[in-house]
């Protein structure tokens, strides 16, 4: 038996890496929401975080490995599954399959692209053709607040982020409950609960993350 | 609204015709005339076939045997849904009262790479047999076993095993699965035998071999759409897939620790 | 000729043990792999035999016409399987099971065979439990039992309403294990169309690959037929569409005697026929009679009324009235005839007046709907799917339907036919059920034959024969292939006007009306006059299109129908010659004033084994006298 070659083994890895990402997404959201507290909120949060370089780098390594594994396995999974079902039915009628479930690979790849962009945008802070506001705030901290507010003032950037969050929502509305099933934690009694949990959490992500570019774009958060 | 008690209906059938395994296939349209609401779906096909034979044409080949929903032979996708979509109902038990006059019905064979088409609506499902041959059994020999009451089995456990054992091996789960996976079929078998003390002894070996056999036999992987559960004419639940995943993970974990071996013929570390 | 069943003599309690030790030779373990056994049919009997023989070391090739061995019609058995475990402490014993089976069969079976069946019945339950068959259990974890017709004890083990399915899946898993190990070669979608007999011994079969159309022989050292029953001769029955007499009929034409073909069982609780288009009848398990009460309106005028509108006083619970001690659990033949009687008197309900009520309202009141649902939920669902009626609210309508064939190829105590090397198991043989089978005894017999009898008895034959005596280029094999091919060609060449199903329907209706639940000299002679005409018309006017080199279901059915038409003649002839009523064979001339069957023990205490003499020729009758040393021949009473 092998983790990375057996069909279910690979799904277990997908689930664990997916779950790690979800955990990250939760933490990241809590941090990001501090933007609603104004410059003092988010800049202080960022300052504190960067004061813990071990934590930051450990997270980065784990998350990048997880993302890489998740992507590689998901592509293989999708290719294998397409090969196993070469012909579609003349009538496309589904009993349980959801739009989100059917498009996991596309929302996933979109997220992959977004993650790359997002890292370049706010972590590396260098995207060709994009003007990124970088400076220090009144307390001498790196001014995350101004950077973000400036970025989401542009309609294109705001839309890119909102679309990505919609993709995240779709991906996780199938993915979260799927994780419990893949890890064998499910049974008939827990199933409805996990389904609901997945939907609620992904809606929270959509609203939580989505609110930031939207609020900024409409001027609800401003300097 | 279904046809009335005494009324008959006429329907249009759009049927996949394919004369052999490697032959090209196509849809053809036929009329089903004077069908009563009491005809079963297969009896409706019998009527169409008698007309075709009399007209000197090849009748539509379809698998069937018991016609009472237990042998698992009947198999066709009706308007995109295996067995036609009435809950807990095989095609042979689907009755025409579920249709109405003038309906157009698309009929296709199970489609999955693991199930090559043999003719018209008939596919080769021996891949499912090969999954069972890989490990879907308890390796007891005939005779010399313990008394049936020697090992007690709680009623909830016996009922759980029976729920899993309801599977009739028709392959609708594979046909419905967008990935052509056989996880519901395999999960039901693994769960049934893992639940019972008689099957627990070789549960890790069983799950290892069956998971490998699924890949070897061209089945896809599960992505938890649960379409199989929707299509299953026996109401087999995806909780058995979770059980399969659980049994797999457990065995993998134990093997990694060296406390078991899933390789038949080797001892544990 | 007087046939010898070679049953052991001596004390019946020890007969099987003594026989195994003193009379049966063994094959040395190292030699077993030199022998090849061909097992035709992979239902309960065939799958259990193939798995067990392969495990013992023989090479086995197994065949079935379905796409998988798991689909044999054993899968459809609902109610349960008997065993003399006596777990409920209600007075059961091997002796009682033996006695009930002999009596249930109306004293027309061989004592020693029945004793053996009762004796090994307990091993079957243990075996199935070990395989992971999920039998019903009580809350303490012990195996649960229910009652079945013809018994006053609870000895029936069951797995929800799908006992046959679960037992078959158990046998199938054992078979699959051997296939995986390479000791059994499985040939699904393969139909046996001839038996090859070389120098008087069965050595090969000729089959047609139902996918490619290829006709070929498989050669072995012994042939085991476990090909099920023949009641599809009535066209509408509870059997699967593919069940046929073909395998045993072809063996019969090669010299195997066919015994007691007139013993056919009509099951009392089936869903009545709804129309002419109908292709099969569906059984509602006999277990329903545990909790359902059977009645018809007392007055003819009430038959059209809704059952709920007929007051208690105007209902006739005729089984309870006529058979107070067994009531609704009277044996099948009796319950079926009683239903027919009521309907013939004009008190039947439903379409055509061919139905009686099976009413659960009293049980639902007593036990609650939940309990009834738990016990029979799947049957109620099935009933609703077919009839669109809810049996929790309105009594079921039921009517008898052909269900089981007690007759079959004649075998001796070793399950060997009169052709050495040809063994016959399960419903395909004639052995243990006499003139009527009790509920839950066929599953028991199939598994007894396959797991616990044939492994011993076939060894005795093989030990005395040289392995590999015959090869595929034997002239008999080549002739057999040529014959089978010629017959296919002939069927395809007729290109007449009537379809195969039209012929089968015609024969079936004729047989059901004249030779079904009741037979008379008149009805039998009439039928015997009509059948040759149908046979001749078939061979001149049947229409089979397509070719023989492809999957061709019409061609398959045509062959089966041709065999049924020939076989129907033998069935009638047997029924005509048996001038008595016994079990499933009811001759209207032979009944007591109250309508009960009247046996003629002085003249008919024998099994009738028929020898084929050619198409249209009168077959020759051989008798195997039956001796009863351990039970007293009595009028069978369930009053
Ligand atoms: C609806 C129903 C309910 C029943 N309920 C009960 C019950 O509750 N309890 C009970 O004890 N009994 C019951 N019976 C009876 C019992 O199920 C059968 O008698 C028994 O299962 C027969 O088993 P078998 O192995 O002899 O034959 P089957 O299971 O019929 O198997 C026949 C096998 O032979 C093969 N075959 C046939 N012809 C050919 C050929 N020409 N070439 C190749 N292969 C061939 C088939 O493919 C199949 O594999 C029931 C029967 C029916 C129909
Ligand atoms: C980076 C690019 C990504 C790709 C290409 C991708 C693709 C996929 C695919 C194809 C699946 C399989 C569908 C299934 O089994 O249900 C999947 C599952 C999943 N993904 Fe992603 N995904 C990506 C990113 C993400 C991200 C960012 C997250 C979390 C925030 C995530 C969380 C999940 C989860 C939880 C599952 C379910 C795992 C399981 O059921 O085993 N994915 N992904
Ligand atoms: S024909 Fe047997 S399940 Fe439909």
């Amino acid at each position: 038996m092998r983790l990375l070659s057996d069909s279910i083994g690979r799904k277990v890895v997908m689930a664990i890496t997916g779950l790690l990402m979800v955990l990250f997404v939760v933490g990241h959201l809590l941090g990001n929401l501090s933007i609603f507290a104004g410059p003092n909120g988010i800049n202080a949060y960022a300052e504190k975080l960067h004061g813990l370089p071990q934590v930051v780098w450990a997270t980065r390594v784990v998350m990048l490995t997880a993302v890489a594994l998740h992507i590689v396995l998901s592509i293989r999974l999708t290719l294998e599954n397409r090969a196993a079902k070469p012909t579609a039915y003349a009538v496309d009628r589904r009993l349980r399959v959801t739009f989100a479930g059917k498009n996991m690979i596309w929302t996933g790849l979109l997220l992959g692209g977004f993650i790359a962009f997002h890292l370049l945008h706010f972590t590396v802070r260098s995207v060709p053709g994009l003007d990124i506001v970088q400076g220090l705030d009144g307390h001498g901290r790196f001014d995350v607040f101004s950077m973000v507010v400036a970025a989401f003032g542009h309609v294109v950037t705001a839309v890119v982020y909102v679309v990505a969050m919609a993709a995240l929502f779709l991906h996780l509305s199938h993915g979260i409950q799927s994780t419990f099933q893949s890890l064998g934690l499910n049974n008939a009694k827990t199933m409805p609960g996990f389904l609901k949990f997945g939907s609620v959490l992904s809606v929270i992500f959509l609203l939580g993350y989505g609110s930031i570019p939207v609020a900024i774009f409409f001027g609800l958060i401003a300097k | 609204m279904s046809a009335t008690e005494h009324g008959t209906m006429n329907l249009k059938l759009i049927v996949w015709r394919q004369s052999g395994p490697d032959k090209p296939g196509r849809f053809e349209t036929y009329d089903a005339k004077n069908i009563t609401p009491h005809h079963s779906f297969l009896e409706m096909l019998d009527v169409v076939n008698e007309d075709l034979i009399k007209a000197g044409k090849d009748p539509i080949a379809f698998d069937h045997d018991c016609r009472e929903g237990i042998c698992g032979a009947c198999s066709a996708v009706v308007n995109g849904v295996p067995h036609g979509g009435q809950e807990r109902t095989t095609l042979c038990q689907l009755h025409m009262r579920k249709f109405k006059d003038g309906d157009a019905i698309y009929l296709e064979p199970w489609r999955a790479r693991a199930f090559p088409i043999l003719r018209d609506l008939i596919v080769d499902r021996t891949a499912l047999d090969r999954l069972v041959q890989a490990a879907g059994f308890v390796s007891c020999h005939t005779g010399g076993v313990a008394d049936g009451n020697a090992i007690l089995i709680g009623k909830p456990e016996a009922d759980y095993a029976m729920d899993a054992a309801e599977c009739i091996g028709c392959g609708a789960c594979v046909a419905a699965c967008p990935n052509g996976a056989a996880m519901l079929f395999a999960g039901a078998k693994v769960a049934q035998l893992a639940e019972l003390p008689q099957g627990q002894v070789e549960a890790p070996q069983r799950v290892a071999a069956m998971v490998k056999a699924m890949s070897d036999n061209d089945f896809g992987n599960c992505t938890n759409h649960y379409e199989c559960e929707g299509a299953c004419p026996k109401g087999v639940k995806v909780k058995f897939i979770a059980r399969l995943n659980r049994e797999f993970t457990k065995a993998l974990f134990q093997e990694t620790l060296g406390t078991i071996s899933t390789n038949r013929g080797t001892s544990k570390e | 000729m007087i046939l010898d069943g070679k049953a052991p003599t001596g004390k019946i309690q020890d007969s099987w043990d003594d026989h195994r030790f003193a009379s049966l030779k063994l094959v040395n373990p190292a030699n077993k792999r030199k022998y090849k056994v061909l097992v035709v049919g992979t239902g309960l009997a065939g799958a259990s035999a193939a798995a067990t023989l392969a495990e013992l070391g023989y090479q086995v090739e197994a065949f079935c016409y379905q796409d998988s061995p798991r689909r044999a019609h054993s899968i459809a058995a609902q109610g349960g399987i008997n065993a003399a475990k006596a777990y409920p402490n209600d007075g059961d014993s091997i002796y009682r099971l033996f006695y009930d089976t002999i009596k249930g069969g109306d004293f027309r079976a061989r004592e020693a065979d029945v004793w053996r069946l009762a004796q090994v019945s307990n091993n079957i339950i243990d075996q199935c439990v070990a395989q992971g068959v999920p039998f019903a259990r009580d809350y303490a974890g012990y195996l649960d039992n229910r009652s079945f017709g013809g018994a006053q004890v609870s000895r029936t083990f069951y797995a929800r309403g799908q006992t046959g399915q679960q037992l078959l899946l158990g046998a199938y898993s054992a078979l699959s294990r051997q296939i995986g190990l390479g000791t059994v070669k499985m040939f699904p979608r393969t139909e046996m169309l001839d038996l090859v007999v070389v120098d008087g011994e069965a050595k090969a079969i000729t089959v047609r690959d139902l996918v490619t159309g290829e006709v070929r022989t498989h050669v072995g050292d012994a042939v085991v037929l476990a090909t099920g029953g023949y009641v599809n001769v009535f066209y509408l029955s509870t059997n699967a569409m593919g069940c046929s007499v073909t395998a045993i009929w072809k063996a019969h034409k090669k010299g195997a005697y066919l015994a007691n073909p007139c013993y056919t069982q009509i099951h009392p609780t089936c869903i009545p026929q709804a129309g002419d288009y109908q292709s099969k009848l569906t059984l509602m398990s006999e277990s329903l009679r545990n909790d359902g009460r059977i009645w018809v309106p007392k007055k003819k005028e009430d038959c059209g009324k809704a059952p709920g509108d007929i007051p208690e006083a105007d209902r006739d619970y005729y089984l309870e009235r006529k058979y107070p001690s067994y009531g609704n659990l009277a044996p099948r033949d009796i319950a079926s005839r009683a239903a027919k009687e009521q309907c013939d008197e004009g008190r039947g309900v439903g379409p055509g007046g061919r139905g009686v009520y099976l009413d659960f309202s009293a049980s639902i009141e007593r036990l609650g709907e939940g309990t009834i649902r738990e016990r029979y939920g799947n049957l109620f669902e099935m009933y609703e799917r077919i009839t669109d009626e809810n049996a929790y609210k309105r009594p079921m309508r039921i009517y008898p339907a052909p269900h089981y064939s007690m007759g079959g190829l004649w075998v001796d105590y070793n399950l060997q036919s009169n052709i050495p090397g040809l063994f016959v198991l399960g419903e395909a043989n004639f052995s243990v059920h006499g003139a009527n089978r009790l509920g839950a005894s066929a599953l028991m017999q199939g598994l007894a034959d396959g797991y616990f009898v044939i492994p011993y008895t076939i060894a005795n034959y093989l030990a005395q024969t040289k392995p590999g005596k015959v090869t595929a280029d034997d002239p008999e094999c080549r002739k057999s292939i040529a014959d089978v091919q010629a017959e296919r060609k002939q069927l395809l060449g007729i290109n007449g006007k009537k379809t195969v199903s039209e012929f089968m329907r015609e024969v079936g209706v004729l047989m059901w009306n004249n030779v079904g639940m009741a037979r008379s000299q008149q009805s039998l002679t009439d039928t015997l006059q009509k059948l040759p005409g149908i046979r001749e018309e078939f061979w001149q006017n049947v229409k089979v299109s397509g070719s023989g080199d492809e999957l061709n279901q019409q061609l398959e059915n045509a062959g089966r129908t041709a065999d049924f038409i020939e076989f129907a003649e033998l069935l009638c002839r047997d029924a005509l010659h048996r001038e008595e009523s016994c079990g499933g064979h009811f001759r209207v001339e032979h009944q007591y004033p109250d309508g009960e069957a009247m046996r003629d023990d002085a003249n008919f205490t024998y099994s009738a084994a028929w020898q084929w003499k050619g198409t249209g020729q009168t077959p020759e009758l051989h008798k195997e006298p039956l001796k009863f040393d351990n039970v007293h021949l009595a009028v069978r009473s369930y009053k």
Side-chain angles (χ1 to χ4, degrees):
Chain A
M1 291 175 89
R2 279 197 307 258
L3 193 60
L4 289 176
S5 60
D6 280 335
S7 159
I8 299 181
R10 286 188 264 127
K11 281 296 318 243
V12 168
V13 177
M14 291 273 304
I16 293 174
T17 53
L19 203 59
L20 281 174
M21 289 189 273
V22 172
L23 287 178
F24 176 83
V25 165
V26 171
H28 195 47
L29 176 62
L30 291 176
N32 289 356
L33 287 177
S34 61
I35 199 162
F36 285 101
N40 252 336
I42 192 153
N43 290 358
Y45 162 71
E47 175 89 346
K48 198 167 284 163
L49 207 60
H50 287 275
L52 303 164
Q54 301 93 326
V55 175
V56 171
W57 276 105
T59 310
R60 282 179 181 163
V61 170
V62 170
M63 290 321 298
L64 283 177
T65 317
V67 171
L69 267 174
H70 193 87
I71 294 181
V72 170
L73 291 180
S74 70
I75 292 176
R76 181 157 167 216
L77 183 79
T78 308
L79 292 177
E80 278 184 13
N81 287 350
R82 299 221 162 142
K85 189 82 170 188
T87 326
Y89 293 114
V91 181
D92 186 21
R93 197 182 130 212
R94 292 298 181 187
L95 302 167
R96 301 280 173 89
V97 174
T98 58
F99 176 82
K102 209 161 51 180
N103 292 295
M104 285 301 271
I105 188 65
W106 303 120
T107 51
L109 288 176
L110 214 137
L111 283 172
F114 170 75
I115 292 170
F117 167 74
H118 180 55
L119 288 176
L120 289 176
H121 191 193
F122 288 152
T123 308
V124 181
R125 296 175 207 134
S126 143
V127 180
L130 211 65
D131 191 16
I132 300 170
V133 176
Q134 307 188 44
L136 300 182
D137 67 4
H139 299 273
R141 299 175 297 208
F142 180 74
D143 192 353
V144 181
F145 184 79
S146 305
M147 173 174 78
V148 173
V149 170
F152 292 153
H154 293 288
V155 61
V156 178
T157 312
V159 166
V160 165
Y161 273 78
V162 169
V163 167
M165 291 312 107
L168 181 68
F169 159 72
L170 284 174
H171 201 78
L172 293 187
S173 66
H174 175 80
I176 291 173
Q177 59 80 26
S178 177
T179 306
F180 295 108
Q181 176 78 357
S182 295
L183 292 176
L185 303 173
N186 212 352
N187 61 40
K189 212 165 165 182
T190 54
M191 172 76 99
F194 285 140
L195 282 168
K196 194 170 281 163
F197 178 69
S199 311
V200 169
L201 199 57
S202 41
V203 168
I204 292 177
F205 289 149
L206 178 66
L207 295 180
Y209 280 111
S211 65
I212 299 172
V214 170
I216 292 174
F217 184 76
F218 289 106
L220 299 176
I221 303 175
K223 275 198 151 167
Chain B
M1 237 196 54
S2 62
T4 56
E5 197 63 6
H6 304 289
T8 61
M9 44 189 151
N10 298 322
L11 307 133
K12 200 164 275 315
L13 296 189
I14 303 118
V15 186
W16 184 259
R17 301 305 307 264
Q18 181 171 336
S19 62
D22 301 310
K23 305 277 169 49
R26 72 209 170 278
F27 281 103
E28 298 231 345
T29 306
Y30 305 101
D31 291 318
K33 292 192 206 113
N34 298 322
I35 304 299
T36 76
H38 295 303
H39 277 77
S40 72
F41 198 90
L42 298 187
E43 283 163 355
M44 180 274 292
L45 281 182
D46 290 343
V47 172
V48 174
N49 273 348
E50 287 287 296
D51 289 348
L52 285 174
I53 294 169
K54 289 198 170 139
K57 295 191 194 136
D58 275 343
I60 303 158
F62 59 93
D63 256 330
H64 66 110
D65 203 26
C66 74
R67 295 207 176 185
E68 52 182 89
I70 191 73
C71 75
C74 60
S75 44
V77 172
V78 181
N79 290 333
V81 180
H83 292 299
Q86 185 186 342
E87 214 180 315
R88 293 175 60 94
T89 305
T90 54
L91 191 62
C92 58
Q93 293 278 285
L94 181 66
H95 278 69
M96 296 310 290
R97 63 182 79 96
K98 301 286 165 192
F99 296 84
K100 58 182 190 309
D101 192 37
D103 275 356
I105 303 174
Y106 274 85
L107 264 183
E108 296 175 76
W110 282 178
R111 292 193 192 275
R113 187 173 50 156
F115 291 165
I117 296 176
L118 296 177
R119 190 184 179 101
D120 299 343
L121 304 176
I122 299 182
V123 300
D124 178 354
R125 286 173 286 192
T126 46
L128 293 179
D129 291 308
R130 289 193 292 275
L131 295 187
V132 178
Q133 286 154 21
F137 45 73
V138 176
S139 303
C140 65
H141 54 82
T142 305
V145 298
D147 182 88
N149 267 342
I151 306 173
L152 301 184
I153 302 172
K155 183 165 158 48
E157 287 73 23
D159 285 349
Y160 174 96
M162 184 60 223
D163 286 342
E166 294 265 355
C167 169
I168 56 172
C170 64
C173 47
V174 180
C177 177
N179 311 330
M183 290 282 280
L184 192 61
F185 176 85
K189 193 41 65 188
V190 163
Q192 177 201 341
L193 296 180
E195 185 71 11
L196 298 171
Q198 290 80 6
Q200 271 156 17
V201 177
E202 48 186 334
Q205 292 81 1
R206 179 178 309 114
V207 72
M210 284 188 82
V211 169
K212 179 169 179 305
M214 282 195 278
S215 304
D216 292 350
N217 283 286
D218 288 342
F219 291 107
N221 311 288
C222 182
T223 52
N224 303 328
H225 293 296
Y226 314 136
E227 190 72 7
C228 49
E229 182 179 283
C232 176
K234 292 290 140 182
V236 175
K237 297 274 176 275
V238 292
K239 69 176 181 191
F240 298 121
I241 297 183
R243 178 69 180 264
L244 169 61
N245 293 336
R246 187 150 74 238
E247 292 294 327
F248 178 91
T249 313
K250 199 164 81 186
L252 182 69
F253 195 66
Q254 289 172 322
E255 189 168 50
T256 311
L257 295 179
T259 56
I260 61 155
S261 168
T262 58
N263 202 346
R264 286 176 197 270
T266 5
S267 60
K268 64 183 197 178
E269 292 302 313
Chain C
M1 188 173 81
I2 298 295
L3 276 171
D4 180 5
K6 303 202 192 80
T9 47
K11 258 177 72 185
I12 197 149
Q13 287 84 340
D14 303 326
S15 54
W16 174 231
D17 301 323
D18 287 350
H19 184 74
R20 279 193 292 178
F21 178 71
S23 314
L24 295 180
K25 295 194 168 48
L26 298 174
V27 179
N28 166 326
N31 283 341
K32 287 201 177 92
R33 69 186 131 81
K34 297 183 187 150
Y35 291 97
K36 183 188 281 180
V37 181
L38 308 175
V39 180
V40 188
T42 49
L44 284 180
S48 55
T52 305
L53 292 173
E55 187 181 67
L56 286 171
Y58 300 107
Q59 302 170 49
V60 174
E61 290 184 358
F63 306 82
C64 69
Y65 70 78
Q66 293 95 341
D67 66 331
S68 162
R70 68 179 292 148
R71 306 203 203 287
H73 200 51
S74 294
I75 200 98
Q78 300 166 350
I81 176 166
N82 286 335
K85 285 280 194 188
Y87 287 150
N89 197 27
D90 58 358
D92 202 7
S93 63
I94 292 176
Y95 198 101
R96 188 173 293 280
L97 176 53
F98 158 74
Y99 179 77
D100 284 351
T101 308
I102 290 273
K103 176 183 170 199
D106 223 351
F107 304 93
R108 289 293 174 263
R110 207 186 281 142
E111 273 192 337
D113 296 48
V114 178
W115 181 274
R116 175 176 63 194
L117 175 68
Q119 185 182 340
V120 302
S121 67
N122 292 340
N123 304 46
I124 296 174
I125 302 303
D126 302 340
Q127 188 63 36
C128 296
V129 168
Q131 289 167 344
V133 170
F135 281 121
R137 302 257 169 181
D138 62 20
Y139 278 100
Y142 292 94
L143 289 160
D144 199 13
N145 289 115
R146 55 163 69 138
S147 315
F148 250 61
Q152 286 174 316
V153 292
S154 261
R155 62 159 75 99
T156 304
F157 295 78
Y158 64 101
R160 221 163 268 173
Q162 292 116 291
T163 316
Q165 178 197 30
Q166 294 311 317
L167 297 177
L168 182 62
L169 292 182
Y172 162 77
S173 72
L175 174 64
S176 295
R177 174 166 159 253
Q178 297 302 325
I179 298 172
L181 292 170
T183 55
V184 175
K185 261 213 207 128
M186 182 70 219
F187 297 89
R189 291 199 201 270
T190 304
E191 185 171 24
M192 169 189 162
L193 293 174
D194 199 15
L195 175 75
V196 182
V197 180
V198 183
D199 298 330
E201 295 184 58
K203 289 295 171 196
I205 57 169
T206 300
V207 300
R208 180 168 177 271
D209 181 320
L210 300 181
V211 177
T212 64
E214 185 200 358
V215 173
R216 56 172 192 266
T217 50
H218 288 254
V219 180
D221 298 293
V223 177
V224 175
L225 296 188
T227 51
Y230 56 71
V231 284
N232 267 349
V233 70
F234 296 109
Y235 184 62
L236 286 183
S237 82
T238 63
N239 277 11
M241 304 303 287
C243 292
S244 78
V245 75
T246 290
I248 65 170
W249 188 247
K250 298 298 191 194
H252 175 62
K253 287 173 95 169
K254 283 298 178 75
Y257 299 164
L258 219 161
N260 301 339
C262 78
Y263 293 161
T264 48
Q265 180 167 83
I266 313 299
H267 196 292
T269 50
C270 301
I271 302 179
Q273 185 178 353
D276 295 333
Y277 51 82
Q278 198 149 332
S279 58
K280 81 152 289 174
L281 296 170
T282 303
L283 178 79
M284 291 280 101
S285 167
E286 168 163 327
S287 59
L288 290 171
R289 291 202 271 147
N290 273 302
D291 288 306
R293 298 178 69 198
I294 295 176
W295 62 274
V296 290
K298 278 186 181 156
K299 297 184 253 166
K300 285 183 196 174
E301 319 72 274
D302 284 354
C303 291
K305 285 192 192 160
D309 296 343
I310 304 173
E312 200 59 34
D314 289 342
R315 301 175 177 192
D316 180 10
Y317 294 88
Y318 57 88
L319 283 179
E320 296 170 22
R321 170 170 60 80
K322 292 173 71 165
Y323 308 99
S325 61
Y326 280 75
N328 293 298
L329 284 174
R332 292 176 177 176
D333 51 339
I334 289 177
S336 290
R337 261 196 318 276
K340 179 177 171 356
E341 231 170 69
Q342 306 305 317
C343 297
D344 287 349
E345 287 168 14
R347 299 190 294 143
V349 295
R354 297 274 120 194
V356 299
Y357 287 124
L358 177 60
D359 196 335
F360 292 88
S361 50
S363 300
I364 289 177
E365 208 158 288
R366 184 161 44 90
L367 304 164
E369 193 175 309
T371 308
I372 296 297
R373 194 180 295 278
E374 169 149 326
R375 284 188 190 161
Y376 314 107
N378 66 324
L379 296 170
F380 279 57
E381 268 176 38
M382 181 146 88
Y383 183 78
E384 178 157 13
R385 270 195 295 271
I386 294 174
T387 61
D388 212 15
E389 287 174 15
N390 178 349
Y392 294 104
K393 301 269 172 288
R394 185 192 167 99
M396 282 183 185
R397 286 175 296 109
I398 52 162
Y399 196 67
H403 176 59
Y404 183 85
S405 44
M406 281 74 69
L409 288 183
W410 182 87
V411 289
D412 63 16
Y413 185 69
N414 287 337
L415 301 183
Q416 184 168 240
S417 73
N418 59 305
I419 302 177
L422 177 66
F423 294 80
V424 192
L425 318 182
E427 193 172 341
N429 74 23
F430 89 118
S431 62
V432 288
H433 305 297
N436 173 55
R437 172 176 72 80
L438 291 183
S441 287
L443 301 180
M444 170 171 72
Q445 182 216 345
L447 291 180
D449 288 359
Y451 284 134
F452 298 115
V453 180
I454 191 74
Y456 292 95
T457 59
I458 204 170
N460 185 54
Y461 168 76
L462 293 172
Q464 302 175 60
T465 178
K466 223 171 89 237
K469 260 210 262 191
V470 174
T471 57
D473 48 355
D474 191 283
E476 284 299 329
C477 293
R478 273 186 270 157
K479 178 170 178 306
S480 171
I481 293 187
D483 289 347
V484 169
Q485 280 169 337
E487 193 179 275
R488 302 307 105 190
K489 215 167 140 201
Q490 197 183 348
L491 287 167
L492 288 161
I494 299 166
N495 200 19
K497 295 259 177 315
K498 265 165 82 171
T499 64
V500 176
S501 1
E502 283 170 337
F503 277 105
M504 196 57 240
R505 210 174 291 233
E506 183 178 345
V507 177
V509 171
L510 180 68
M511 291 296 287
W512 177 235
N513 289 338
N514 290 351
V515 198
M517 266 188 286
R519 299 142 182 196
S520 68
Q521 184 173 21
Q522 183 67 44
S523 75
L524 289 165
T525 16
D526 274 2
T527 315
L528 272 172
Q529 257 160 20
K530 287 189 184 130
L531 283 170
I534 301 180
R535 169 164 41 85
E536 277 153 31
E537 195 201 342
F538 178 88
W539 287 102
Q540 281 158 14
N541 196 26
V542 74
K543 184 172 179 76
V544 183
S545 56
S547 83
D549 307 327
E550 56 183 349
L551 198 160
N552 186 340
Q553 293 175 314
Q554 271 186 86
L555 183 60
E556 296 164 26
N557 288 335
R560 294 169 194 160
T561 300
D563 294 334
F564 270 130
I565 299 176
E566 288 184 355
F567 167 72
E569 282 184 55
L570 184 67
L571 199 164
C572 293
R573 209 169 288 282
D574 186 44
L576 184 61
H577 114 281
R578 190 165 282 278
E579 288 281 355
E580 64 164 348
S581 293
C582 59
H585 171 62
F586 189 76
R587 284 286 300 269
V588 294
E589 302 91 340
H590 304 287
Q591 52 181 313
Y592 291 102
D594 63 354
E596 298 299 323
M598 188 193 281
R599 281 201 326 260
D600 177 355
D601 290 336
N603 294 306
F604 287 96
T605 312
Y606 63 80
S607 297
W610 299 89
Q611 183 181 2
W612 171 256
K613 289 286 174 185
T615 313
Q617 307 294 310
T618 314
E620 187 180 339
L621 171 65
H622 304 284
K623 296 179 182 175
E624 184 201 337
L626 296 169
K627 288 219 312 284
F628 293 93
D629 299 324
N630 299 279
V631 298
H632 173 64
L633 260 121
V635 174
R636 202 169 59 128
S637 166
Y638 290 93
K639 293 205 161 153

